[in-house]
Amino acid sequence: MTDEPLTVGVLGYRFMGKAHSNALARLPMFFPDAPAVERHTIVGRDEEALAAAADRFGFANTETDWRAVVDEVDVFYNLGPNHLHAEPSIAALEAGAHVFCEKPLAPTLDEARAMHEAAAEADGVAGCAFNYRFVPAIRYAKELIDEGALGEIHHVRGRYLQDWLVDPDAPWSWRNSKELAGSGALGDLGAHTIDLARFLVGDAAGDLTRVSGHLQTFVDERETAEGETRPVTVDDAYTAQAAFDNGAVGSFEASRFAAGHKNDHTIEIHGSEGSLRFSLERLNELAYKSGDGRGYETILVTDESDPYVDHWWPPGHVLGWEHTFVHENYEFLSAVASGEEFHPSFGDAYEVQRVLDAIERSDERGEWVDLDLD
Ligand code: SOE
């Protein structure tokens, strides 16, 4: 690697564009060993909004066509809507760029497979931004599980509850379209939970072997901001049962209609020697029930020996949602600079997509679907 900064091109300047641009801006101050980055070009369709975003997010150039960017930068961030994940990411990989793509990898299993195969053929690092892997408390939970603190894993229970669509007058967006998003709560929220479950117990319990899913749409049409009525063609909520290779049972759900829950991503794991419980709404904490403990203890995971914490503040000076993006960008860009593997890779994200696809097929068929048979 030269000492020249890595040039970064970013497709998308709204929510995820802001989250990752903020992360890039904070790396030099809090992770000074991170590779230097030049925020080179930001891509979007609305030139006026794009120019304002470029100014606020610190990008030198703007571009309305991603095709003009993918072979001009060292690293291409695909932060666009799901239906724009495959083509630009594959083009960037084929042009020799490193690619960081937001989750879920793609709207469909076929597109996810094409992205996975392109990444396998490419020289660049290809990562998928499952940011919750980079919460210190989640990293600590994985340390406990992998050192055997929970013993034999029996239960994995994950839920991701939001309520931004419980109002039937909430506007239609691309997230309500099967063509643009692929699925609703399942792919948007369930993808996070399935990835976290695979990350946390993939070594201790093995992978998911079969699933039984149920998808539900509560409001089947909404108005766009322009007043046009459009159909909702994806799930508003899903539930799924799962089996793991070691015999553990899994239960997963997500909803955009869970009134009172804003961003409540919770995962619980029970084993022969103890249990863990994590909630994103209390992301600095990990509830742990050890083998000889009478009940759960709440651990504040903010000691300087805890993952990433020493880069920030003294114990007890808690972190937030945005810090998970700083951590994942640090790890991804460090992997780009070192040539080492980055996880979650496109391969990891493809395995998540296989589970999402199996849950949808199970719902359509009304029966369990084996993951090994694909
Ligand atoms: C949905 O509202 C959403 O923004 C997801 O798309 C993100 O992945 C999740 O982290 C927060 O909620």
Side-chain angles (χ1 to χ4, degrees):
M1 286 302 285
T2 67
D3 292 336
E4 286 297 303
L6 291 168
T7 54
V8 169
V10 168
L11 185 160
Y13 60 92
R14 298 183 189 281
F15 182 19
M16 285 297 113
K18 182 191 286 188
H20 286 281
S21 299
N22 172 60
L24 294 176
R26 298 179 78 176
L27 281 177
M29 182 185 290
F30 292 94
F31 292 78
D33 62 327
V37 162
E38 178 193 339
R39 280 166 268 164
H40 187 275
T41 302
I42 191 165
V43 181
R45 288 178 303 178
D46 178 330
E47 293 192 54
E48 185 179 344
L50 185 64
D55 183 46
R56 286 175 59 201
F57 299 168
F59 282 83
N61 307 289
T62 62
E63 180 53 69
T64 56
D65 182 354
W66 58 263
R67 293 168 185 82
V69 176
V70 291
D71 56 0
E72 295 295 320
V73 294
D74 299 315
V75 189
F76 181 72
Y77 278 56
N78 193 332
L79 311 180
N82 300 353
H83 70 285
L84 278 182
H85 284 185
E87 188 183 2
S89 298
I90 292 171
L93 287 165
E94 290 174 348
H98 306 276
V99 174
F100 201 32
C101 182
E102 263 298 330
K103 41 56 60 183
L105 194 60
T108 66
L109 186 59
D110 286 345
E111 288 171 279
R113 184 181 296 112
M115 294 172 78
H116 171 39
E117 290 170 351
E121 291 298 313
D123 295 328
V125 177
C128 190
F130 286 108
N131 58 302
Y132 299 126
R133 286 193 182 206
F134 300 91
V135 178
I138 290 292
R139 292 276 155 149
Y140 178 53
K142 182 165 177 58
E143 287 173 16
L144 288 172
I145 293 167
D146 286 351
E147 66 190 33
L150 299 193
E152 174 73 13
I153 304 298
H154 297 142
H155 288 271
V156 180
R157 187 178 308 109
R159 70 176 197 181
Y160 203 150
L161 305 181
Q162 297 180 342
D163 66 2
W164 56 284
L165 281 183
V166 72
D167 177 355
D169 295 329
W172 186 94
S173 75
W174 65 266
R175 294 175 190 270
N176 298 122
S177 159
K178 185 167 187 61
E179 180 189 0
L180 302 179
S183 61
L186 174 65
D188 189 25
L189 305 176
H192 276 298
T193 313
I194 298 297
D195 178 68
L196 264 196
R198 298 188 70 250
F199 174 63
L200 288 169
V201 304
D203 296 326
D207 220 329
L208 291 92
T209 58
R210 67 190 187 118
V211 293
S212 170
H214 172 214
L215 278 64
Q216 182 63 39
T217 304
F218 301 118
V219 171
D220 54 17
E221 63 179 28
R222 292 178 182 271
E223 279 200 6
T224 65
E226 294 72 32
E228 179 194 351
T229 299
R230 288 196 183 170
V232 173
T233 52
V234 294
D235 55 292
D236 290 320
Y238 91 98
T239 63
Q241 299 180 77
F244 286 81
D245 195 44
N246 78 326
V249 297
S251 58
F252 300 100
E253 64 170 320
S255 178
R256 294 162 162 173
F257 276 65
H261 295 264
K262 297 307 174 187
N263 200 23
D264 181 8
H265 191 197
T266 302
I267 194 152
E268 296 178 281
I269 298 167
H270 308 307
S272 57
E273 300 301 323
S275 294
L276 287 172
R277 182 173 64 236
F278 167 82
S279 170
L280 180 60
E281 291 182 345
R282 304 181 70 86
L283 70 84
N284 291 279
E285 299 173 5
L286 185 69
Y288 172 43
K289 193 272 175 209
S290 65
D292 52 11
R294 287 190 56 184
Y296 283 90
E297 58 174 314
T298 298
I299 302 165
L300 191 61
V301 187
T302 61
D303 288 354
E304 289 169 352
S305 58
D306 287 314
Y308 304 117
V309 175
D310 62 324
H311 287 271
W312 297 102
W313 314 111
H317 294 62
V318 295
L319 301 183
W321 179 79
E322 68 184 68
H323 296 85
T324 68
F325 287 81
V326 183
H327 303 161
E328 70 172 347
N329 274 273
Y330 170 64
E331 298 293 3
F332 176 71
L333 293 169
S334 297
V336 165
S338 68
E340 291 175 15
E341 275 197 18
F342 172 79
H343 290 281
S345 64
F346 275 19
D348 296 316
Y350 172 63
E351 290 304 321
V352 171
Q353 206 82 38
R354 289 183 65 233
V355 175
L356 303 179
D357 177 71
I359 289 171
E360 284 200 274
R361 285 185 288 126
S362 168
D363 174 65
E364 290 158 6
R365 298 178 190 170
E367 62 188 25
W368 283 80
V369 167
D370 285 343
L371 281 153
D372 306 343
L373 298 181
D374 287 7

